[in-house]
Amino acid sequence: MPRGSWSAKRERQYDHIKESLQDEGRSEEVAEEIAARTVNKERARSGESKEASPTSTNDISSARRGGLRSHRGRGGRTYDQLYAEARKANVKGRSAMNKAELEKALNQKRVSRG
């Protein structure tokens, strides 16, 4: 964890995120990873890091996203995530499906495999 280069503000942010995730029931290891990734993304967005990936700087902020893209969070996976998963699962007719239809097709695939 590259915490040595973080400011005091980023250290507090990391600790807050980690504690919140642990309060939600995440393991310490997972909470540390998510917190570090979040802080590093925010550092990249604000120009505090030497290198930054395009997704870190061009994507919506971590705070606003707030679980939009998690598998369990508010709204679940995005259409693009579902479409990519459907492509991997070889779901027929996926290009004509909307988000709800993709979710349903993927759930049916899982049930038939399980």
Side-chain angles (χ1 to χ4, degrees), residues 16-29:
H16 176 73
I17 293 168
K18 179 182 167 188
E19 289 172 16
S20 295
L21 291 166
Q22 287 180 308
D23 289 346
E24 290 176 5
R26 304 281 181 104
S27 71
E28 183 172 1
E29 183 178 315

Side-chain angles (χ1 to χ4, degrees), residues 1-19 35 39 43 48:
M1 191 170 4
R3 293 177 67 176
S5 61
W6 292 354
S7 66
K9 174 185 175 181
R10 296 300 181 199
E11 291 282 348
R12 288 191 309 273
Q13 183 182 32
Y14 171 87
D15 291 335
H16 176 73
I17 293 168
K18 179 182 167 188
E19 289 172 16
V39 170
R43 289 182 66 238
E48 296 172 36

